């Protein structure tokens, strides 16, 4: 394909809400971090072995019993998750830094020597948890 020589009508879509097929047999819970398996691109709970960075937060629960049942996710928005503990706890000084996935509802300050995937960017930290801009 060569470069455009005239105006074109480029299709677009909202990137804040995206649907992904769930991995068969996998339950996804509303309000939790979702990632995609590297092997097939299907949605699984964030932190699942073989999955990548968080792609969004599930807007509804999916049982995973139907092959490819779609889970709608929201991204680009601030969501509050549980903070890790000890040296991996995220503090106010970490605002603007990357947060890493511990599990589908917990985030940490470090990537655990590359073992953890990216959850998003730290937006705020309060007594109830860590606000992350996911996606």
């Amino acid at each position: 394909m060569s470069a455009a020589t005239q105006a074109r009508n480029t299709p677009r879509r909202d990137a804040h809400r995206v649907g992904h097929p769930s991995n068969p047999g996998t339950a996804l819970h509303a309000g939790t971090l979702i990632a995609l398996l590297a092997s097939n691109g299907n949605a699984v709970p964030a932190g699942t072995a073989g999955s990548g960075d968080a792609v969004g937060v599930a807007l509804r629960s999916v049982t995973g019993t139907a092959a490819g049942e779609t889970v709608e996710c929201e991204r680009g928005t601030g969501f509050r998750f549980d903070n890790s503990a000890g040296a991996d706890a995220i503090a106010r000084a970490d605002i603007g830094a990357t947060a890493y996935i511990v599990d589908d509802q917990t985030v940490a300050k470090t990537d655990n020597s590359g073992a953890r995937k990216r959850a998003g960017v730290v937006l705020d930290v309060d007594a109830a948890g860590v606000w992350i801009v996911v996606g």
Side-chain angles (χ1 to χ4, degrees), residues 38-120:
S39 62
N40 60 15
N42 288 343
V44 293
T48 298
S51 67
D53 296 342
V55 295
V57 174
L59 295 177
R60 67 176 181 91
S61 295
V62 172
T63 62
T65 55
E69 183 178 3
T70 299
V71 59
E72 190 170 339
C73 299
E74 188 167 346
R75 48 181 272 130
T77 303
F79 293 94
R80 186 175 60 211
F81 293 100
D82 294 342
N83 200 348
S84 194
D88 252 349
I90 297 172
R92 289 200 48 81
D94 300 311
I95 291 173
T98 299
Y100 296 92
I101 300 165
V102 174
D103 57 39
D104 62 357
Q105 65 179 354
T106 310
V107 294
K109 181 177 184 167
T110 71
D111 69 354
N112 192 27
S113 299
R116 294 183 183 138
K117 303 299 182 181
R118 184 179 182 280

